[in-house]
Amino acid sequence: MTGVRAIAAWPGPALVAGAAAAVAAGMPAAPALVLGAAVAPLLALAQPARATLPRHPVTLAIFAVAAALLLCAHLAALADAAVLLGARRWPAIVLAAALALGVTTARGAAFWRSVALAIGAAALLVVLIVAGLASGLTPWAAWADAAARPGIVFSPRSAWVTGGERFLRPTTLAFTEAHRIVAVTPGTFRAVEMDGAQRVVRDWRLNAGDVLSLRPGDTLTVEAGSRLRFEPGKRVPGAPPSGSAWVDAAPRGSLLRTLALLATLALGAYALIPPPGRHAAAAFGITLALGVGAVAWGVYATLVAPEAGLAGSPVEALLALPRAVPATALGLGAGALTALVVLGLLALFVAAADALRTRVADVGGPRAQVVWALAVIAAAVAASVWVVDPWTPLAAGLGVAGAGLAAPRLAAGAGAGRRLGAPVEVVGALLGAGVFVALSLLEPSRGVEALGAWPVLVAAPIAFGVVSALRSTH
Amino acid sequence: MVVLVVLLAVTPVATVLPGSPGSVRVAGVTLLWWYAALIGPLIAALTALLARAAR
């Protein structure tokens, strides 16, 4: 397998959008996410050819669950893009899932995987280059400009100011200065106001055009689907207050959360990406471009559209950039650039789907085709009924693959033998995936919060330790 | 593989180092971001390439 085909499972729409949005929003985990997205796949790619996982119903089931979660994440990202562009959610998911199923089960799917990855990368790269040329700034100059902003405020040209935008998910906005918002569509909003030292909760039923005044310290809970208009020049609720705060968030990230994020990415990549047989250099180039591209995209996006992310989806950061580019840039207008972004995301999704299908086939044998079809259908149904941030199923998919497949494989090495009537890796896989699922379902208040949020930190060492112990008694 | 793991570990270590060296700016950008976006991935790619070439 070539390097390009091997890495195709990695740069899917959910990861690309998540990395760019994390940079744009100035999230504390953003540097670790970008570094992990670029370096984690190299851990798998640099490995010498290793034995594949044993063909067993347990490994097949775990891989199918991981694949379904990853597909669900990518479909959720594509659905968010569709809704942000005014289309409906479920038809977008059905069309994307049908396309993935059609391409991945067609003859010559591996060739089309490479083509789709090339189209996806090229489309996003063109938009990024056009945005950079239009701004007249190199990415590092744009970064310095973004860091020098005295306040992160709504631009007068922002769609949130001119016509109002739609919230994709329920959200609570915290206001640090007085702000008059306008309801574009009728809806109910919950405002929590500070009256002296007392909190006062008020539910407002607003009609289209009604104005709600909020004071510093107030919060406003908005339902999914609500459309609001904001005042130009006012601070973006939830965003860092200034450019220096946007910069300073990164070095203050939580150590445990950063470790958990990196472990999830590294183990997930190890489980998903097979060692390439030839042309590995191309795959190394793709990982490098992913890291640099995500940072550049996020920096340009926060500079021209600091409110990107207010709707509740990381995809907004990807779509905000082409919308804000002047129409004359290289003759490509906002419409053409937006179409390129959508084409790029769809192509990356098809490439990732086919790479996952190949991995399912590696562990599934003759049942793989049916299991793959079921995984795609399950992902489409989940993405339709579960309106969730794409990062949630992405982290869950990488985590379950890391704890249930990568950790036991790393511990087993070659010739680990059998225990309890099954290959040692299968025992570890069952344990790792079981612990991961159990911790994921735990209430966060029952343990350390970060472990509940990132169960791979517990599940992977348990799976690794048990397989090592079983192997030593062989 | 060890080199790649060490390269990944630099970011969490940078968050606990006294004096916050990751916040030092070079050409307007902090060291942490130069490392996460460019230097770390570049060294990692070159390391992986050399490791494959050596086999």
Side-chain angles (χ1 to χ4, degrees), chain A:
Chain A
M1 184 183 291
T2 65
V4 172
R5 287 179 187 172
I7 195 136
W10 192 247
L15 183 68
V16 171
V23 176
M27 288 170 60
L33 176 56
V34 169
L35 182 71
V39 176
L42 297 177
L43 288 167
L45 290 168
Q47 284 286 295
R50 56 186 187 265
T52 53
L53 281 162
R55 285 189 174 178
H56 193 277
V58 169
T59 51
L60 176 60
I62 293 171
F63 215 106
V65 169
L69 284 164
L70 295 170
L71 289 171
C72 176
H74 300 323
L75 286 169
L78 292 172
D80 282 357
V83 175
L84 286 166
L85 294 172
R88 293 184 68 187
R89 187 175 183 84
W90 72 264
I93 290 171
V94 170
L95 282 175
L99 178 67
L101 205 53
V103 171
T104 58
T105 52
R107 201 180 289 268
F111 168 75
W112 289 110
R113 186 195 318 165
S114 306
V115 172
L117 185 59
I119 290 174
L124 295 180
L125 195 62
V126 165
V127 178
L128 186 59
I129 290 171
V130 169
L133 291 174
S135 73
L137 295 169
T138 58
W140 48 93
W143 195 97
D145 277 10
R149 291 172 292 175
I152 295 183
V153 298
F154 285 100
S155 141
R157 288 177 291 123
S158 165
W160 287 96
V161 170
T162 53
E165 282 284 351
R166 190 184 304 278
F167 288 85
L168 297 188
R169 298 187 177 85
T171 187
T172 298
L173 307 171
F175 291 84
T176 54
E177 64 180 351
H179 205 133
R180 283 161 56 87
I181 59 161
V182 180
V184 178
T185 52
T188 304
F189 304 88
R190 169 161 291 189
V192 179
E193 302 166 3
M194 296 306 292
D195 188 4
Q198 202 172 1
R199 291 170 73 243
V200 180
V201 179
R202 289 198 176 91
D203 286 325
W204 297 93
R205 173 76 196 165
L206 301 182
N207 290 315
D210 286 353
V211 176
L212 183 61
S213 294
L214 295 146
R215 294 175 301 180
D218 290 355
T219 63
L220 183 73
T221 301
V222 183
E223 293 301 319
S226 303
R227 254 182 98 178
L228 290 177
R229 214 167 64 220
F230 292 83
E231 283 186 90
K234 296 285 185 172
R235 290 189 193 282
V236 178
S242 65
S244 59
W246 175 76
V247 172
D248 287 343
R252 294 181 187 155
S254 151
L255 177 63
L256 194 60
R257 284 182 179 279
T258 307
L259 281 175
L261 172 63
L262 291 172
T264 302
L265 292 171
L267 289 170
Y270 192 88
L272 296 177
I273 301 171
R278 55 201 164 90
H279 304 314
F284 301 157
I286 289 171
T287 64
L288 196 58
L290 175 62
V292 175
V295 174
W297 197 295
V299 170
Y300 286 130
T302 191
L303 202 56
V304 297
E307 66 286 343
L310 200 58
S313 171
V315 179
E316 200 184 359
L318 288 184
L319 292 175
L321 194 54
R323 286 172 169 184
V325 170
T328 53
L330 293 186
L332 290 170
L337 293 173
T338 302
L340 274 177
V341 172
V342 173
L343 173 70
L345 292 178
L346 199 56
L348 291 180
F349 168 66
V350 169
D354 190 57
L356 289 172
R357 193 262 313 159
T358 310
R359 299 296 282 152
V360 170
D362 287 344
V363 292
R367 289 163 297 184
Q369 199 78 339
V370 176
V371 172
W372 171 246
L374 289 174
V376 175
I377 292 167
V381 171
S384 299
V385 299
W386 185 30
V387 183
V388 68
D389 185 334
W391 180 256
T392 304
L394 182 72
L398 292 175
V400 80
L405 302 169
R409 182 67 254 166
L410 279 165
R418 296 174 69 88
R419 288 287 182 280
L420 308 170
V424 166
E425 295 100 313
V426 171
V427 178
L430 201 56
L431 201 61
V435 172
F436 183 91
V437 171
L439 283 172
S440 301
L441 299 176
L442 268 183
E443 289 289 324
S445 58
R446 289 190 182 176
V448 180
E449 194 225 341
L451 295 186
W454 298 96
V456 74
L457 277 186
V458 177
I462 288 177
F464 187 92
V466 166
V467 172
S468 300
L470 288 174
R471 190 167 186 257
S472 65
T473 61
H474 181 50

Side-chain angles (χ1 to χ4, degrees), chain A residues 23 30-32 34-36 38-39 42-43 45-48 140 143-144 147 247 250-251 253 255 258-259 262 276-277 280-281 284 288 292 295, chain B residues 1 4-5 7-8 11-16 20 22-23 25 27-30 32-38 40-42 44-45 48-49 52 55:
Chain A
V23 176
V34 169
L35 182 71
V39 176
L42 297 177
L43 288 167
L45 290 168
Q47 284 286 295
W140 48 93
W143 195 97
V247 172
L255 177 63
T258 307
L259 281 175
L262 291 172
F284 301 157
L288 196 58
V292 175
V295 174
Chain B
M1 187 147 172
L4 296 178
V5 172
L7 288 169
L8 276 177
T11 311
V13 169
T15 63
V16 294
S20 200
S23 303
R25 294 205 188 190
V29 180
T30 60
L32 182 64
W33 274 110
W34 276 120
Y35 178 78
L38 191 64
L42 196 58
L49 206 59
R52 281 188 66 88
R55 280 199 294 272

